[in-house]
């Protein structure tokens, strides 16, 4: 085992702070450990870099998704053994605008025997009710064994899932693929963002859903807007460059179309939800497109009357489809719901095939709640931290609130990633209050591209810091770091502590022997040795040392990344410990 303790003194000041901050984490959901690190390394050919850096042996890394962002480019490779995809195995490379690799995440199957023999297997029979989207031969690691089978994308009762099925037909794993919750201009009515916000009232009599009935109050909250619609054939359709109304889920209401340019409906009219959703989709997507975030690949499909009337909204990752229910307050009447589900689509397009793992899914909910809140704030600051204040916070469901002091990691729910998401969304909302929605929206959008399977909140936070670096040259670093520290996600005072390299030269690394480090110094010093993990938690401390010789036994440490703090009489030395897997 080797240990690397080094920082390049020519590195930029930001990367002097960030290069010491690397993550290696055991994902709560994954069978393969996820490793994550920051760097500042120029790369040419990405495939050559991968094969130089990783010993893949008989395995192959294949590019499955590449994305360009205002801050750089982002590339996802999946790992294969012949035609078999290794489920949850990947390499994710993030490059800044200069073409330098700034972060890398990977989950590699180090225990897959190079002599593993693939068997010829037959496809099993599946439930006839499944709508099949794909079959992929795959290997999945379950209980420390690699099992041969298929990854199968299905839709059943409007719910998308990915199954891992073995030849016997047994389903060994099921993962949800639902993330819940020439144009002509016409005049249309919408809620902007919802009737309670514009009236500055809370849900309660007389401001009730009342089974979609309108009245004088709701009519007074309608806003007339210009809306671009597609004229196709002989009629206007609820469809433009950004989104398209479709009928993909019961009740089977065909999308509204009309030869007239009259689209000034109210909430009692069925087409109102289609028009309202299209307006908010278009407004948000046009705004971020002007910032340079061209994320959606063609108009996104949505069904404003879905789930057979149930109170449920979701983004279907298999079909890239947004579905809005009609139970309680119709989902598409509330811009918070519309933008939240659009947020899932943006996350999907920025970092495809990465929304897996407890904190990763919580992160997705958090950024979607954040975008809903920020968008609402753009129309009115009234109750902007109360998410879904028309669709929720009522007798139908409680909604969510970003006015929270949730703290990491103690407020992570054991199983509820929705509740856990409030740690991260509350932090983002606090930062928006300081930086403003336009700046914060762009930083959050940029951070999405670096997402990966099994990502945890501290790793997402590093991508947030790097997004500020890539977009704004780290102009808002200290504000962001203070917000992260307050929530316990990152202790910036510990992790991002600056180092004066010229004054640190009195300590010279002389030998490395296995997991034991030994230094010698020319002068006597009283040394205090502290080792931290990358959340800022102190692992151990030694302050009784030989004044001329320091020794550190690392045999008890697990593989991963650590921070070593050496405090002397007049100096503090901070170094990164890199301990490869044993």
């Amino acid at each position: 085992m080797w240990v690397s303790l080094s920082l390049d003194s020519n590195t930029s000041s930001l990367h002097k702070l960030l290069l010491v901050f690397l993550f290696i984490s055991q994902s709560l959901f994954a069978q393969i450990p996820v490793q994550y690190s920051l760097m500042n390394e120029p790369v040419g050919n990405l495939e050559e870099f991968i094969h130089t850096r990783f010993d893949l042996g008989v395995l192959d890394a294949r590019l499955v998704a590449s994305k360009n962002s205002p801050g750089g480019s982002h590339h996802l490779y999946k790992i294969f053994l012949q035609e078999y995809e290794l489920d949850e195995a990947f390499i994710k490379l993030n490059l800044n605008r200069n073409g330098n690799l700034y972060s890398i995440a990977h989950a590699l199957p180090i225990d897959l025997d190079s002599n593993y023999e693939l068997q010829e297997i037959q496809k099993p029979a599946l439930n006839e009710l499944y709508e099949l989207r794909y079959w992929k031969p795959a290997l999945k690691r379950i209980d420390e064994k690699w099992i041969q089978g298929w990854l199968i994308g299905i839709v059943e009762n409007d719910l998308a899932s990915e199954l891992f099925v073995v030849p016997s037909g047994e389903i060994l794993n099921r993962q949800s693929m639902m993330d819940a919750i020439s144009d002509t201009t016409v005049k249309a009515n919408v809620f902007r963002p919802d009737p309670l916000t514009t009236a500055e009232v809370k849900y309660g009599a007389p401001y009730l859903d009342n089974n979609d009935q309108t009245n004088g109050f709701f009519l007074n909250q309608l806003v007339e807007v210009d809306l671009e619609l597609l004229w196709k054939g002989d009629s206007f359709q609820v469809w433009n460059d950004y989104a398209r109304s479709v009928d993909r889920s019961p009740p089977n209401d065909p999308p509204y179309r009309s030869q007239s340019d009259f689209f000034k409906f109210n909430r009692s009219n069925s087409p109102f939800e289609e028009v309202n959703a299209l307006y908010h989709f278009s407004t948000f997507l046009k705004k971020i497109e002007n910032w340079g975030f061209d994320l959606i690949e063609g108009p996104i499909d949505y069904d404003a009357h879905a789930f057979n009337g149930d109170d449920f909204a979701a983004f279907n990752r298999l079909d890239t489809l947004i579905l809005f229910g009609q139970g309680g307050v119709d989902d598409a009447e509330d811009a918070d719901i519309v933008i939240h589900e659009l947020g899932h689509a943006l996350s999907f397009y920025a970092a495809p095939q990465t929304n897996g793992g407890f904190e990763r899914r919580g992160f997705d909910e958090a950024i979607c709640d954040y975008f809903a809140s920020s968008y609402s704030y753009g129309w009115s600051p009234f109750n902007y931290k109360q998410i879904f204040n028309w669709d929720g916070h009522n007798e139908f469901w409680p909604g969510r609130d970003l006015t929270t002091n949730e703290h990491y990691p103690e407020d992570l729910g054991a199983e509820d990633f929705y509740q856990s998401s409030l740690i991260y969304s509350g932090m983002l909302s606090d930062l928006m209050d300081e930086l403003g929605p336009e700046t914060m929206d762009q930083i959050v959008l940029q951070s999405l591209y670096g997402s990966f399977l099994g990502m945890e909140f501290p790793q997402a936070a590093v991508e947030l810091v790097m997004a500020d670096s890539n977009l704004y040259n780290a102009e808002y670093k200290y504000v962001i770091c203070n917000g992260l520290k307050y929530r316990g996600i990152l202790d910036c005072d510990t992790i991002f502590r600056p180092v004066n390299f010229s004054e640190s030269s009195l300590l010279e690394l002389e030998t490395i022997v296995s997991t034991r480090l030994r230094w010698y110094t020319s002068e006597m010093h009283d040394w205090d040795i502290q080792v931290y993990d990358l959340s800022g938690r102190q692992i151990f401390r030694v302050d009784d040392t030989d004044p001329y010789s320091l020794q550190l036994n690392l045999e008890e440490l697990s593989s991963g990344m650590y921070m070593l703090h050496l405090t002397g009489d007049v100096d503090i030395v901070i170094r990164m410990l890199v301990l490869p897997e044993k």
Side-chain angles (χ1 to χ4, degrees), residues 74-92:
H74 315 268
H75 312 274
L76 176 65
Y77 291 80
K78 288 295 188 73
I79 309 302
F80 289 80
L81 177 61
Q82 298 179 33
E83 75 274 21
Y84 281 78
E85 177 180 327
L86 275 64
D87 189 35
E88 298 178 356
F90 69 92
I91 298 171
K92 178 72 180 282

Side-chain angles (χ1 to χ4, degrees), residues 90 204 235 345 361:
F90 69 92
S235 59
R361 298 198 71 179

Side-chain angles (χ1 to χ4, degrees), residues 52 130 167 174 312 325 372 391 402 464:
T52 299
Y130 291 163
R174 176 189 291 261
F312 186 65
D391 183 76
L402 303 190
L464 196 70

Side-chain angles (χ1 to χ4, degrees), residues 362-577:
F363 165 79
D364 229 59
E365 295 302 324
I367 60 100
C368 294
D369 281 358
Y370 164 77
F371 284 133
S373 173
S374 170
Y375 182 78
S376 182
Y377 181 88
W379 299 115
S380 168
F382 179 79
N383 263 0
Y384 70 98
K385 287 183 181 284
Q386 201 172 80
I387 311 301
F388 321 125
N389 58 316
W390 171 224
D391 183 76
H393 299 275
N394 51 34
E395 68 268 28
F396 305 116
W397 75 291
R400 288 197 283 274
D401 197 322
L402 303 190
T403 307
T404 167
N405 290 317
E406 301 288 294
H407 195 268
Y408 187 87
E410 60 269 24
D411 289 325
L412 283 174
E415 298 179 354
D416 188 351
F417 59 80
Y418 292 102
Q419 180 64 30
S420 299
S421 73
L422 294 175
I423 302 170
Y424 204 87
S425 59
M427 176 273 297
L428 294 177
S429 183
D430 292 345
L431 291 179
M432 189 202 79
D433 292 341
E434 294 196 55
L435 302 182
E438 182 169 334
T439 297
M440 194 61 200
D441 283 4
Q442 292 181 69
I443 292 173
V444 175
L445 282 166
Q446 181 62 43
S447 76
L448 299 182
Y449 292 89
S451 301
F452 54 89
L453 277 169
M455 183 174 71
E456 296 173 347
F457 286 175
Q459 298 163 340
V462 173
E463 290 297 329
L464 196 70
V465 175
M466 292 306 302
D468 170 50
S469 172
N470 292 331
L471 291 179
Y472 298 109
N473 198 28
E475 181 177 351
Y476 307 107
K477 177 186 63 181
Y478 292 108
V479 174
I480 293 172
C481 282
N482 287 337
L484 295 171
K485 181 178 180 180
Y486 176 75
R487 294 285 178 166
I489 300 172
L490 286 180
D491 186 344
C492 295
D493 291 340
T494 298
I495 302 303
F496 296 115
R497 193 171 190 172
V499 181
N500 187 327
F501 288 90
S502 62
E503 295 178 3
S504 300
S505 58
L506 62 93
L507 180 66
E508 297 180 358
L509 180 63
E510 181 166 295
T511 62
I512 300 174
V513 181
S514 184
T515 54
R516 295 177 182 271
L517 301 184
R518 184 183 302 119
W519 298 270
Y520 297 98
T521 58
S522 57
E523 300 177 6
M524 179 168 43
H525 292 280
D526 292 325
W527 290 104
D528 179 26
I529 304 175
Q530 302 172 59
V531 176
Y532 295 85
D533 67 16
L534 295 181
S535 69
R537 181 171 60 93
Q538 188 180 95
I539 304 300
F540 61 81
R541 177 176 183 174
V542 179
D543 57 10
D544 183 17
T545 64
D546 184 326
Y548 292 100
S549 175
L550 293 84
Q551 298 190 51
L552 185 61
N553 186 349
L554 304 179
E555 291 178 347
E556 299 301 320
L557 290 183
S558 301
S559 302
M561 307 295 179
Y562 299 89
M563 291 300 304
L564 173 67
H565 286 216
L566 303 176
T567 306
D569 303 327
V570 295
D571 200 8
I572 297 176
V573 180
I574 302 177
R575 289 291 185 269
M576 175 183 65
L577 300 182

